[in-house]
Amino acid sequence: MSSEVAPVDEVRIPPASPRTSPLALWTLFVSILICTGAQLLLKHAVTTEATFLEKLFSLPVIAGLGAYGLGTILWILCLRWLDLSFAFPASALQHVLIVAGAWAFLDETIPWLRLLGVALVVVGVLVLAVETKKGGNST
Amino acid sequence: MTEIVIILASVFTMGISQLLLSRGAKQGITLQSIFFEPLIWIALGLHGLSALLWLWVLQSMDISYAYPFLALNYLLVPLLAAVFLSEKIDRRRVLGIVIICAGVVLSSLS
């Protein structure tokens, strides 16, 4: 918008990637994927017969929390580049992947109504993503 | 009932943590300096607290039942972002958010 030269200390800040940046969007997707894996791992781990403390220090829980940590680091990078009000709703994709994962790996049965809801989430995320492609209102 | 209260506490803690994370992530000169940002560490603490509450709830609930309560967060977080981060939320984004929430709530009815 403005052709003014930015102050020096602003120039030194690595320019936030444009919202259309494939890097930002891929980072977001990988972060979501890793957090989904972490959730499934945690759920699998806590359904065993053990006290809460025993579960907390079991290997799958620690692995799950570790994956959570990795996903969180990627998530922080996303938040540097993307609007929170875009990135967070987009992370609802995690809900879709969780249901798919619960069906595939945890043998939970998925009622058709839930499938419908999950399909709606996909539509909603697509609406957000299309906005991103058009440029939307970047801050 | 107790589980619902714990879930809600987890949701609100998560909402505040996302707000602080986002604010912290956009500060700092270099990428590495993000991780020395106090806001980030406060946010991560809240994130951890939220995760612990969540873990507690998952003991007695199916993940595919507990998850829909996170629908509240998809409303809360953009609202917090609009108010405290001055993000502009256009109609298309509102539409996307509403559809996502509807989807998450719908899947909770089954």
Side-chain angles (χ1 to χ4, degrees):
Chain A
M1 258 187 35
S2 112
S3 56
E4 285 171 29
V5 178
V8 172
D9 53 342
E10 270 179 39
V11 173
R12 281 168 55 210
I13 300 175
S17 311
R19 305 180 47 217
T20 50
S21 156
L23 178 66
L25 295 180
W26 274 107
T27 307
L28 180 62
F29 184 70
V30 171
S31 164
I32 292 169
L33 213 57
I34 291 177
C35 287
T36 303
Q39 284 276 349
L40 291 172
L41 210 55
L42 289 177
K43 171 60 179 171
H44 176 70
V46 296
T47 38
T48 54
E49 305 257 326
T51 67
F52 188 68
L53 271 186
E54 280 172 0
K55 288 171 188 169
L56 196 57
F57 292 103
S58 70
L59 194 62
V61 167
I62 291 170
L65 291 179
Y68 235 139
L70 183 61
T72 303
I73 290 175
L74 293 178
W75 175 247
I76 292 172
L77 290 181
C78 291
L79 289 184
R80 188 172 178 81
W81 296 323
L82 301 166
D83 274 2
L84 180 60
S85 58
F86 163 75
F88 194 83
S91 75
L93 211 54
Q94 197 178 340
H95 180 71
V96 178
L97 296 175
I98 288 277
V99 171
W103 172 75
F105 301 118
L106 301 178
D107 295 324
E108 290 182 19
T109 49
I110 314 297
W112 67 269
L113 202 56
R114 184 169 297 154
L115 276 182
L116 195 64
V118 159
L120 260 186
V121 172
V122 174
V123 171
V125 172
L126 283 178
V127 169
L128 287 177
V130 169
E131 173 206 34
T132 302
K133 270 190 184 150
K134 283 171 67 183
N137 51 348
S138 61
T139 43
Chain B
M1 184 59 199
T2 317
E3 282 143 348
I4 306 274
V5 172
I6 298 177
I7 286 182
L8 287 182
S10 172
V11 162
F12 276 93
T13 314
M14 183 64 78
I16 303 294
S17 122
Q18 292 299 330
L19 184 67
L20 298 181
L21 262 192
S22 185
R23 178 160 274 185
K26 289 178 171 86
Q27 288 172 358
I29 310 251
T30 62
L31 228 47
Q32 296 93 310
S33 68
I34 293 176
F35 298 99
F36 297 98
E37 190 61 51
L39 274 181
I40 293 283
W41 290 103
I42 296 170
L44 288 180
L46 289 175
H47 199 296
L49 178 63
S50 176
L52 272 184
L53 292 171
W54 187 246
L55 206 60
W56 182 270
V57 165
L58 283 188
Q59 279 194 120
S60 49
M61 277 176 142
D62 265 358
I63 199 169
S64 46
Y65 175 79
Y67 228 75
F69 284 91
L70 295 193
L72 287 175
N73 244 337
Y74 299 121
L75 295 176
L76 180 68
V77 170
L79 197 69
L80 291 174
V83 173
F84 294 105
L85 301 176
S86 312
E87 287 183 9
K88 292 182 190 123
I89 302 180
D90 62 10
R91 257 184 273 169
R92 190 171 198 112
R93 192 173 289 182
V94 171
L95 182 66
I97 290 168
V98 167
I99 294 175
I100 287 170
C101 285
V104 174
V105 170
L106 191 65
S107 63
S108 75
L109 299 179
S110 42

